[in-house]
Amino acid sequence: MQTMLEEMRRLTAHAENRPTETGILMVKGEIPEHKLGAVYEPMVNLILDGSKTLTIAGQDYYYDPASYFVISIDVPATGMVQQAGPDRPYIGVSLSLDPARVAALLLDLPPQSYQEGQTGGYSVCRMTPELLGAWLRMLQLMDRPQDVPALAPAYEREILYRVLQGPQGWMLRDIAAPDSALSRIRLAIRWVREHYSEAVEVEKLAALTAMSVSAFHRHFKAVTAMSPIQFQKRIRLLQARQLLISQSGNASSVAYSVGYESASQSTREYARFFGQPPARDASLIRENIRPAA
């Protein structure tokens, strides 16, 4: 697999932080000096050089080129990336998971029974030569853009197929099944993301997912490792960070604008989540992203 990785690094050596012609998202760069924070959307994420640690619901997930990360839900997380060396910037690629495309692939595959104990919305998995080969074929299209319209869909389908064959393939199957518990929890997650400043009414979320309140709590916690209230708080904190970076408002006004009733509580939770108080964290990020003179 090392030979394939070296070829993929060569292909991405001059790539920029943007979607490639194949639709694969590329992330490349030096180590940031602040803790990353974002709502990660459903994707398969592969690291070509360096490593990454994501923290979700207080649990750390480390992965590097020997592994890959599958996320089947929108989930708030913080993280740090590490370079492989002084002259080897971090390089990562990701493929967004489209339920319709996964469903189309499943139509051509034999049914697979659901196994008890399969829960959760994200996981680190061991890389395989077959999956890495599918990624390599996709990235090789960067050198042959005229082949992208004909071959990129086929290579994307192969990547999805290889993930489906892996230990967390059931996640993709649940994404494509509109009546699965995971798909119904995704409806509640979407509501919280769109109404993060509003009070969470668990009864309404349970009704939205066609579950009882107790079943909703159980499935939400199983998928996200958080309660709905904890999930919403992390969404609020991420939104507060964006506002602090992009606007001139102070931490207190931003806290109230994202739904907090107590500015001091917001500051405490912000510092726990990002490792710095709001003003210091925002100042550090603005310094890091300021263009060079």
Side-chain angles (χ1 to χ4, degrees), residues 133-211:
W135 276 102
L136 173 58
R137 284 184 283 280
M138 177 68 91
L139 292 179
Q140 284 173 333
L141 292 178
M142 294 169 61
D143 284 348
R144 304 192 306 272
Q146 70 277 8
D147 293 342
V148 168
L151 296 180
Y155 295 154
E156 176 181 345
R157 185 177 169 90
E158 183 181 3
I159 291 172
L160 294 175
Y161 174 69
R162 297 302 180 186
V163 175
L164 278 164
Q165 289 185 313
Q168 301 301 327
W170 64 269
M171 285 189 194
L172 271 64
R173 293 177 182 270
D174 273 6
I175 285 177
D179 293 330
S180 68
L182 187 147
S183 289
R184 285 187 280 164
I185 291 299
R186 288 180 66 193
L187 295 176
I189 289 172
R190 185 180 308 153
W191 188 95
V192 174
R193 286 196 65 182
E194 293 174 353
H195 303 85
Y196 61 85
S197 63
E198 301 177 21
V200 168
E201 296 185 38
V202 176
E203 293 78 8
K204 288 186 177 180
L205 290 179
L208 179 66
T209 59
M211 295 180 181

Side-chain angles (χ1 to χ4, degrees), residues 48-120:
L48 304 181
D49 217 3
S51 60
K52 186 171 188 176
T53 302
L54 280 181
T55 302
I56 306 175
Q59 177 70 41
D60 291 338
Y61 297 86
Y62 172 86
Y63 58 115
D64 57 19
S67 52
Y68 63 99
F69 198 75
V70 180
I71 306 176
S72 61
I73 57 170
D74 296 4
V75 63
T78 56
M80 295 293 290
V81 298
Q82 298 84 33
Q83 291 180 194
D87 299 319
R88 293 174 59 183
Y90 168 87
I91 305 175
V93 292
S94 60
L95 173 66
S96 296
L97 293 176
D98 184 332
R101 294 180 182 178
V102 177
L105 174 58
L106 289 175
L107 291 175
D108 295 332
L109 301 179
Q112 183 172 326
S113 60
Y114 181 86
Q115 297 179 14
E116 290 296 330
Q118 293 178 320
T119 59

